[in-house]
Amino acid sequence: MPHVRRFQDPQDHAKFLVWHKARQQAIFRGEIWLLSPEDFIAVWGDKWQFRGRHRLDLCLTRCDPTQPWQFSNCEIITRLTQFRRTGARRR
């Protein structure tokens, strides 16, 4: 049987690969992951092109870090805001 992609659109397929990597990282950290690929794509919406590794780029995070990764508990914020939140929680 030939390989069939879950998402035929190349951009959605790229998002699926990022979803898969994020899911595996969450599982490795012992976090519960309930975010489907479709929900992941919906959360990012039109902000996908602004994600990255610089401080003003966007990232996906949980509103409440004690709750699982799910659509109602995820938000898109800048990495700088994320660093400040995690730093405040650690202090």
Side-chain angles (χ1 to χ4, degrees):
M1 184 163 109
H3 177 70
V4 178
R5 288 183 171 186
R6 183 169 184 164
F7 295 97
Q8 297 303 316
D9 178 38
Q11 188 173 9
D12 284 346
H13 182 70
K15 291 176 186 178
F16 173 75
L17 295 176
V18 172
W19 167 85
H20 184 66
K21 182 178 179 181
R23 178 176 166 261
Q24 293 304 323
Q25 289 171 340
I27 291 169
F28 178 78
R29 293 188 302 262
E31 301 166 354
I32 300 170
W33 184 273
L34 303 175
L35 201 59
S36 71
E38 293 80 12
D39 287 343
F40 181 82
I41 291 171
V43 168
W44 275 101
D46 59 350
K47 299 175 184 174
W48 181 258
Q49 66 271 14
F50 301 113
R51 71 183 194 90
R53 303 188 84 188
H54 299 287
R55 64 187 191 119
L56 296 179
D57 291 340
L58 299 178
C59 66
L60 179 68
T61 189
R62 293 180 289 174
C63 301
D64 181 358
T66 63
Q67 297 297 314
W69 288 91
Q70 58 190 3
F71 186 78
S72 61
N73 192 38
C74 289
E75 64 180 335
I76 304 294
I77 59 173
T78 64
R79 289 177 56 85
L80 180 61
T81 303
Q82 172 65 10
F83 293 144
R84 287 180 178 161
R85 280 187 188 177
T86 56
R89 279 196 298 270
R90 289 181 184 161
R91 284 186 230 133

